[in-house]
Amino acid sequence: MNLTENTIYRHDELGEVLVLGVHHIFETYDPDSADGRLRSRVVRYTAEWDDYGPMPSSVRTTPVDEFRTVVGDTVRTWEDVEWSTNDPLD
């Protein structure tokens, strides 16, 4: 199963979770050659979010292989609300 950023999945224990991204963690990495020794891959996700993004301190990380054992079908794609400091306040 490929995990997709900004997608809501059904989680066995937490209900619906929003996947924020899949990240590679390197032991060593050379930016000039764009090559390194991969240590692990983790998924960033949250079970608490609104239209603007995850709630503060609610983001979790878990190894990708472990996460795949507790996550099921895709529910839908999450689309955040764009907000600008120039927007008038009601």
Side-chain angles (χ1 to χ4, degrees):
M1 162 193 272
N2 289 329
L3 298 171
T4 306
E5 184 176 293
N6 295 328
T7 301
I8 299 168
Y9 293 89
R10 197 165 312 285
H11 190 281
D12 290 349
E13 298 169 11
L14 302 173
E16 292 184 354
V17 295
L18 170 61
V19 169
L20 303 168
V22 176
H23 304 279
H24 295 80
I25 300 173
F26 291 92
E27 298 234 357
T28 59
Y29 189 80
D30 179 10
D32 293 330
S33 66
D35 189 29
R37 187 170 66 209
L38 184 65
R39 180 174 31 159
S40 64
R41 293 184 331 134
V42 296
V43 59
R44 286 181 58 239
Y45 68 98
T46 182
E48 300 174 38
W49 70 91
D50 63 13
D51 289 340
Y52 299 102
M55 296 294 123
S57 74
S58 70
V59 177
R60 303 176 186 193
T61 59
T62 302
V64 170
D65 292 337
E66 188 178 312
F67 185 78
R68 284 183 178 145
T69 64
V70 294
V71 75
D73 297 332
T74 301
V75 176
R76 67 183 180 280
T77 300
W78 175 74
E79 296 184 29
D80 61 337
V81 172
E82 293 293 324
W83 185 76
S84 168
T85 56
N86 295 328
D87 290 344
L89 299 174
D90 291 334

